[in-house]
């Protein structure tokens, strides 16, 4: 589900670099490469508020509103009853709905569910750190349900709202 960015090819993070992503995208290639055993700081700045279940065709903003959340996602307390059907096909069963997931490489197991912490009073900026377990391009997506039928993979992503900028910073060895 994650396809490497080819034009231009992904570049190693040597200082800091930024990529944008939308929560409606099944998996966003950042064009940024991380290296095994190196540590990185991720700063996520929400540029458009995040909602799961947004009704884009609804003209009344109150009726259009979905489940509001932040990069850490939400648990059963905010789930709607209809979401129970999607539980068994959620990408990461043990993680929150709509949690921001980082993935290193487009093959195998490389998912990272980071403990994002709010870094500003406005609630738009979040940070976390990680050490890469393998080398590869960094991908980003939100944890939502996925249908394993070609042409329908992203049907549960179409009602997602939100955008963010992801900055990856290489941390110097101490």
């Amino acid at each position: 589900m994650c396809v490497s960015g080819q034009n231009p090819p992904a570049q190693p993070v040597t200082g800091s670099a930024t990529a944008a992503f939308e929560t409606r995208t099944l998996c966003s290639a950042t064009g940024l490469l991380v290296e095994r055993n190196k540590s990185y700081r991720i700063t996520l700045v929400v540029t458009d508020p995040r909602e799961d279940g947004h009704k884009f065709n609804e003209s009344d903003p109150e009726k259009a509103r979905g489940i509001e959340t932040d990069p850490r996602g939400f648990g059963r307390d905010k789930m709607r009853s209809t979401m129970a059907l999607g539980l068994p096909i959620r990408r990461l069963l043990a993680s929150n709905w709509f949690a921001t997931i980082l993935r290193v490489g487009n093959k195998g197991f490389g998912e990272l569910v980071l403990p994002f912490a709010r870094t500003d009073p406005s609630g738009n900026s979040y940070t976390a750190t990680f050490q890469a377990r393998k080398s590869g391009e960094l991908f980003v997506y939100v944890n939502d349900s996925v249908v394993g039928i070609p042409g329908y993979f992203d049907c549960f992503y179409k009602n997602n709202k939100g955008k963010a900028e992801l900055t990856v910073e290489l941390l110097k060895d101490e």
Side-chain angles (χ1 to χ4, degrees):
M1 291 185 206
C2 295
V3 179
S4 291
Q6 299 297 320
N7 229 348
Q11 298 296 310
V13 176
T14 56
S16 73
T18 301
F21 83 97
E22 291 189 46
T23 60
R24 295 182 75 176
T25 305
L26 192 60
C27 188
S28 296
T30 64
L32 306 173
L33 290 172
V34 295
E35 279 187 64
R36 182 174 187 246
N37 295 328
K38 294 208 174 179
S39 295
Y40 298 88
R41 176 179 295 113
I42 302 292
T43 302
L44 191 71
V45 177
V46 176
T47 57
D48 182 32
R50 299 159 60 108
E51 295 177 23
D52 189 10
H54 186 82
K55 297 173 188 78
F56 288 97
N57 294 330
E58 176 60 57
S59 59
D60 181 346
E62 285 303 312
K63 291 180 182 175
R65 183 170 290 138
I67 299 169
E68 296 174 341
T69 189
D70 62 34
R72 298 169 289 199
F74 61 92
R76 290 183 182 266
D77 58 320
K78 283 188 167 184
M79 264 180 60
R80 294 182 175 152
S81 58
T82 55
M83 295 175 78
L85 298 171
L87 275 171
I89 56 173
R90 193 168 51 176
R91 290 171 88 166
L92 298 177
L93 294 174
S95 297
N96 280 347
W97 287 97
F98 231 66
T100 301
I101 311 296
L102 299 179
R103 177 181 174 82
V104 178
N106 64 344
K107 293 184 173 115
F109 298 100
E111 273 80 12
L112 299 164
V113 183
L114 301 178
F116 282 100
R118 182 174 285 154
T119 58
D120 70 347
S122 70
N124 291 334
S125 184
Y126 299 80
T127 62
T129 59
F130 75 97
Q131 184 177 39
R133 295 183 300 241
K134 66 181 188 175
S135 296
E137 183 172 4
L138 192 64
F139 296 89
V140 62
Y141 62 89
V142 296
N143 193 29
D144 209 342
S145 297
V146 174
V147 176
I149 300 170
Y152 295 95
F153 291 135
D154 65 347
C155 67
F156 288 102
Y157 279 75
K158 292 178 180 177
N159 67 358
N160 293 348
K161 180 182 175 295
K163 297 178 184 175
E165 289 185 354
L166 180 85
T167 299
V168 182
E169 178 188 356
L170 175 64
L171 299 176
K172 302 296 180 197
D173 295 330
E174 294 181 6

